[in-house]
Amino acid sequence: MAAKALDKNTAWELVLDAVNRSNVTLSLPGSDKPALDIGQNGEWELRLPAELDARNLLSVFLPLCCPVAQGSRSRVVGQMGQSLDGRIATVTGASKFINGEDGITHLHRLRAVSEAVIVGAGTASTDNPRLTVRKTSGINPVRVVIDRNHRVPDSHHLFSDEASPTLRLVAGDYHAGDKLTPRHGVTDVPCLGQNDTTDPAHILAVLADFGLRKIFVEGGGLTVSEFLNADLLDRLHVMVAPMIIGSGRPAFSLPEIKKLDSALRPKAQMVDLGSDMLFDLDFTRSTVDE
């Protein structure tokens, strides 16, 4: 009798079991039957047949699970949810919900394999997000808000729901050094200096001091663009919804280029999520590497 093909839900349980593990063979949940071999650098091989959705899920998420080597830079993943015409919101800022249910579930899965999730003050103020994994299984990440001037109301979910600890990065001088990873509540972290510019590399260094090195930059567009422009994104997940807004806020805000030779050309895989199309962009490799 042929083995039953691995489905998407079981594949996700294997992904969660793979977080921070390498050189290991994983078994099916509730079984000792070997199902998945994971190598040193995140390479993987299934030992049983799998449905296409399950194989796609493993391909997208397993590279985000492998441990970050001691002394190496943080692993940073960005996300952008946009319309077909590259808009992330209307001219009035309305953005809930451009992406469909499958895209939102994917977003929550990205949170589940990350140690910290970052949003800017604009997104936090407008969307009042929770940044939890309500649409899937897994552990809530530490929530990080870049809120230099305390723009985000204290009544918003990030500061009031106690669902997960929150770091609020605010203006002030920073004293580097190892710090305890937050377990609950809200912690203000003076670290953004006295001017109005934000250095993404400095933010990653601050989070590393808190033991947070697997970072998910969720939004908004300006914040993701700052990390991308600083060459600090290892991967970027762009979820495109079958929607045309026609005007509004663009997804990316990057310096102008004159020739296409200067365009970013990451290695890409495209995955049909159902309600949205995912472009999984790998900035550790480019198409010219092939």
Side-chain angles (χ1 to χ4, degrees), residues 23-267:
N23 289 329
V24 65
T25 296
L26 303 182
S27 300
L28 290 174
S31 167
D32 57 0
K33 181 178 181 180
L36 178 66
D37 295 320
I38 301 177
Q40 178 64 38
N41 299 311
E43 65 274 15
W44 57 277
E45 183 176 355
L46 273 173
R47 293 198 180 192
L48 69 170
E51 297 174 0
L52 178 60
D53 283 349
R55 186 170 289 274
N56 285 339
L57 188 144
L58 294 172
S59 178
V60 168
F61 282 98
L62 286 178
L64 310 182
C65 293
C66 57
V68 178
Q70 190 68 31
S72 64
R73 56 170 271 183
S74 298
R75 182 183 302 126
V76 187
V77 180
Q79 180 274 158
M80 196 79 78
Q82 65 174 59
S83 63
L84 281 171
D85 53 343
R87 306 294 180 177
I88 60 172
T90 66
V91 291
T92 62
S95 62
K96 287 190 174 182
F97 288 101
I98 289 177
N99 296 107
E101 283 297 319
D102 297 315
I104 295 171
T105 298
H106 181 84
L107 177 66
H108 286 221
R109 284 178 170 147
L110 284 171
R111 296 171 183 169
V113 297
S114 304
E115 294 173 346
V117 54
I118 297 176
V119 293
T123 295
S125 297
T126 301
D127 293 349
N128 190 14
R130 298 180 185 271
L131 303 185
T132 59
V133 298
R134 304 180 308 283
K135 296 287 186 180
T136 188
S137 54
I139 299 173
N140 291 328
V142 174
R143 306 176 294 190
V144 181
V145 189
I146 304 172
D147 191 18
R148 174 185 300 279
N149 298 312
H150 291 81
R151 288 173 52 194
V152 185
D154 289 342
S155 59
H156 273 28
H157 297 307
L158 296 174
F159 304 134
S160 63
D161 65 9
E162 294 290 338
S164 187
T166 299
L167 296 178
R168 175 160 46 188
L169 309 186
V170 299
D173 297 327
Y174 182 66
H175 301 286
D178 291 344
K179 297 171 177 61
L180 293 177
T181 304
R183 300 299 181 190
H184 55 79
V186 180
T187 304
D188 278 14
V189 184
C191 63
L192 299 182
Q194 306 301 329
N195 54 38
D196 291 332
T197 60
T198 300
D199 179 6
H202 177 60
I203 290 174
L204 295 181
V206 170
L207 296 183
D209 282 351
F210 282 93
L212 305 170
R213 299 172 61 219
K214 297 174 72 173
I215 310 301
F216 174 33
V217 185
E218 182 168 325
L222 290 175
T223 301
V224 174
S225 295
E226 286 176 348
F227 278 83
L228 178 58
N229 191 44
D231 195 25
L232 291 174
L233 291 185
D234 296 289
R235 297 183 95 96
L236 175 63
H237 286 195
V238 180
M239 290 186 289
V240 181
M243 173 191 300
I244 298 174
I245 297 176
S247 61
R249 300 180 183 177
F252 297 99
S253 299
L254 299 171
E256 292 182 0
I257 61 173
K258 294 182 179 181
K259 297 181 179 180
L260 288 179
D261 290 347
S262 302
L264 300 174
R265 296 180 183 270
K267 186 67 178 178

